[in-house]
Amino acid sequence: MQFTFRLVTILLLPIFLLVPSCGEEVNPNYAEEIADPEFYHRSVKQLTDVIVHDIFSPPVAGRIYAYSSIAGYEALAAGSDDLGSLAGRITHLAPAPTPPQDATISYELAAIAAQHKVGKQLIFSEEKLETFFAELMADVKKIGVPKEVITNSINYGNAVADHIIAWSDGDLYKQTRTFPKYSITSDPSKWQPTPPDYMDGIEPSWAKVRPFTLTSPDQFTPAPPTPYSAEENSAWNEGVQIVYNALKVEDEAERAERIAIAKFWDCNPYVSHHVGHAMFATKKITPGGHWINIAAIASRVAEADFATAVEAYAKVAMAMHDGFIACWDEKYRSNLVRPETYIQENVDEDWAPLLQTPPFPEHTSGHSVVSRACAIVLTDLYGDDLSYADDSEVEYDLPVRNYTSFLQASEEAAISRLYGGIHYLPAITEGLIQGEQVGNHLLTTLGGKAVVSKK
């Protein structure tokens, strides 16, 4: 998919190309060089680094990725005959501003500017993104892009960003900041805060945030969790034992592999460590951040062009955002107790999960839902047999893991929650189903075809 620069004022063409501003060296091939998707990958990765630094919860991080990625997509689509706008396909999104007819614009550069500005609006550490963007623009200038093109492109990207920011203000996110906290009850089947920090339930009103393509947060309501029962031989306690014994396997290699899988897919943005009277935290990417990085990896492996890479980010981010809404709707409906709470009170007071339990109810598994939704979207774009090496966790001192498909990776991400001791099996299996439904609904709503997973 090729993009060209829109040169509307034909009579001025010789001036733009042959008479650069004083001291400016224009590269006649700058249009091809600025179309390298690595520029966009760098901008998205910097946003991920700031999201990690600022410690956003998984649902909030998903929202940041979604609006910033849509902004980049819409700015790029304005200059494309092939990449259609999302306006109308997302029913509540109005068309982006029309590009000025008398300006030479690099729509790739406009996409970067739009993605950057929306991302900066939604995070805390604005200066980190501002510094990065200045460095990125310095690299753009080194290519020999005319100053006027840079200015025009950034201006148009900013106009699209302002349009997306205004749209985002209507999704009820800001209002949910003032909604009531989760109320703890004495019902033993209901979620209670977990060690070590016993934090309040995160985002109990997230289902009220506006989705992109879902008709309602409960559109894909999963099967309910196993009925709670204190009876020793109940289905509930059978499920508890599966969690309790997940790492109690005789084969040491198998046990080591399960631990490796659990740690690789942990993706907990804030892990609290307590040593005596001291406390410190470890920051990591969220589940959505991990899949955004997989989108970058897939783009590079597939040698995708700029447009395909931008489309992948937008669709993956929208899928994760809708997935979090659907998942959180169920989480705070069933309000199910976590394995850590139940096992310590009823089975083994000394048991602890391998992973730190996240601060929200159990059913369904958020990582299972989001991983499957993102995998469905990436499968649609890049196929069901793209092999890749996932190095997303290398910077967090975890080794690369290899996959033969996105669906395989999503299944491993899901089962990691059992190995980590933080989810019962039904939350995982139903989470995969829910995520697949969300991902396919997004594809069909945007005009594509559903992906049939290989069971």
Side-chain angles (χ1 to χ4, degrees):
M1 189 177 298
Q2 298 295 322
F3 283 79
T4 58
F5 290 84
R6 187 172 291 171
L7 303 176
V8 178
T9 311
I10 302 298
L11 293 178
L12 295 181
L13 181 59
I15 297 176
F16 280 119
L17 294 181
L18 300 179
V19 188
S21 60
C22 182
E24 180 182 5
E25 294 184 6
V26 175
N27 173 8
N29 299 316
Y30 73 83
E32 295 178 6
E33 294 187 30
I34 200 65
D36 183 348
E38 285 302 319
F39 285 104
Y40 199 83
H41 292 321
R42 287 170 59 188
S43 190
V44 175
K45 179 59 170 66
Q46 181 63 27
L47 179 60
T48 291
D49 290 346
V50 174
I51 288 172
V52 171
H53 177 273
D54 288 349
I55 317 177
F56 288 102
S57 69
V60 176
R63 179 179 180 269
I64 296 170
Y65 284 124
Y67 283 114
S68 60
S69 296
I70 290 173
Y73 179 97
E74 288 297 292
L76 190 66
S80 169
D81 295 327
D82 302 313
L83 198 64
S85 170
L86 296 170
R89 292 189 283 170
I90 300 175
T91 57
H92 44 80
L93 173 61
T98 301
Q101 294 300 301
D102 58 349
T104 308
I105 295 173
S106 160
Y107 289 92
E108 292 87 353
L109 184 52
I112 295 169
Q115 182 271 343
H116 159 75
K117 184 171 183 179
V118 173
K120 188 177 73 168
Q121 175 73 19
L122 300 178
I123 49 82
F124 300 137
S125 301
E126 296 181 14
E127 71 285 351
K128 291 183 177 295
L129 286 187
E130 290 171 351
T131 299
F132 166 80
F133 190 71
E135 294 171 351
L136 190 67
M137 290 305 101
D139 290 342
V140 168
K141 291 176 183 177
K142 290 177 183 177
I143 291 175
V145 181
K147 292 179 181 178
E148 184 171 6
V149 173
I150 294 175
T151 299
N152 292 341
S153 304
I154 293 176
N155 286 344
Y156 181 64
N158 287 343
V160 174
D162 291 339
H163 171 69
I164 298 299
I165 290 168
W167 172 52
S168 73
D169 282 342
D171 71 355
L172 212 65
Y173 168 75
K174 291 181 180 178
Q175 290 84 340
T176 62
R177 303 306 88 193
T178 64
F179 288 180
K181 295 181 179 180
Y182 173 82
S183 297
I184 302 171
T185 75
S186 58
D187 185 339
S189 72
K190 301 305 181 184
W191 180 80
Q192 299 175 30
T194 51
D197 296 323
Y198 298 93
M199 295 173 62
D200 290 332
I202 286 178
E203 301 297 345
S205 299
W206 196 254
K208 293 180 171 64
V209 174
R210 181 185 62 197
F212 293 116
T213 65
L214 297 179
T215 57
S216 65
D218 61 352
Q219 182 177 356
F220 299 112
T221 300
T226 305
Y228 180 90
S229 172
E231 297 296 325
E232 184 176 349
N233 296 323
S234 65
W236 167 262
N237 270 300
E238 289 179 6
V240 169
Q241 288 299 315
I242 291 174
V243 181
Y244 183 65
N245 293 315
L247 296 182
K248 295 181 179 181
V249 291
E250 293 184 3
D251 189 319
E252 283 301 316
E254 172 64 19
R255 182 175 184 275
E257 175 67 354
R258 291 187 177 192
I259 291 173
I261 289 171
K263 290 183 176 180
F264 185 79
W265 292 102
D266 183 16
C267 301
N268 188 336
Y270 184 86
V271 178
S272 179
H273 306 273
H274 293 252
V275 181
H277 295 290
M279 189 277 282
F280 64 96
T282 300
K283 301 178 183 180
K284 293 186 290 185
I285 52 174
T286 63
H290 193 138
W291 280 95
I292 283 290
N293 199 61
I294 291 175
I297 294 169
S299 170
R300 294 183 175 110
V301 171
E303 298 182 348
D305 61 14
F306 197 103
T308 304
V310 169
E311 181 181 11
Y313 282 125
K315 288 183 175 179
V316 164
M318 286 188 288
M320 80 170 69
H321 182 64
D322 280 5
F324 277 123
I325 289 172
C327 178
W328 254 244
D329 176 67
E330 175 57 35
K331 280 186 180 294
Y332 285 98
R333 177 172 37 251
S334 54
N335 288 326
L336 190 63
V337 63
R338 286 277 185 169
E340 181 169 17
T341 302
Y342 183 85
I343 292 174
Q344 289 181 354
E345 291 182 357
N346 300 278
V347 180
D348 181 352
E349 64 180 6
D350 295 323
W351 183 86
L354 176 67
L355 303 181
Q356 192 166 113
T357 302
F360 36 80
E362 195 272 345
H363 191 80
T364 48
S365 157
H367 216 329
S368 302
V369 175
V370 168
S371 293
R372 193 58 151 207
C374 294
I376 288 291
V377 167
L378 287 171
T379 298
D380 174 67
L381 285 168
Y382 295 120
D384 63 1
D385 59 353
L386 183 79
S387 296
Y388 64 94
D390 187 351
D391 62 356
S392 303
E393 302 289 335
V394 168
E395 61 185 296
Y396 306 106
D397 299 321
L398 292 170
V400 171
R401 292 188 67 83
N402 295 290
Y403 301 97
T404 57
S405 73
F406 305 112
L407 295 176
Q408 180 206 14
S410 71
E411 288 162 5
E412 187 179 277
I415 200 64
S416 75
R417 315 321 261 171
L418 173 67
Y419 300 156
I422 59 177
H423 277 293
Y424 310 108
L425 196 55
I428 294 165
T429 55
E430 289 301 320
L432 286 171
I433 294 170
Q434 190 178 33
E436 188 156 328
Q437 291 171 327
V438 169
N440 275 322
H441 179 71
L442 181 101
L443 291 178
T444 56
T445 300
L446 298 183
K449 295 181 179 180
V451 170
V452 179
S453 62
K454 299 176 182 178
K455 303 295 184 183

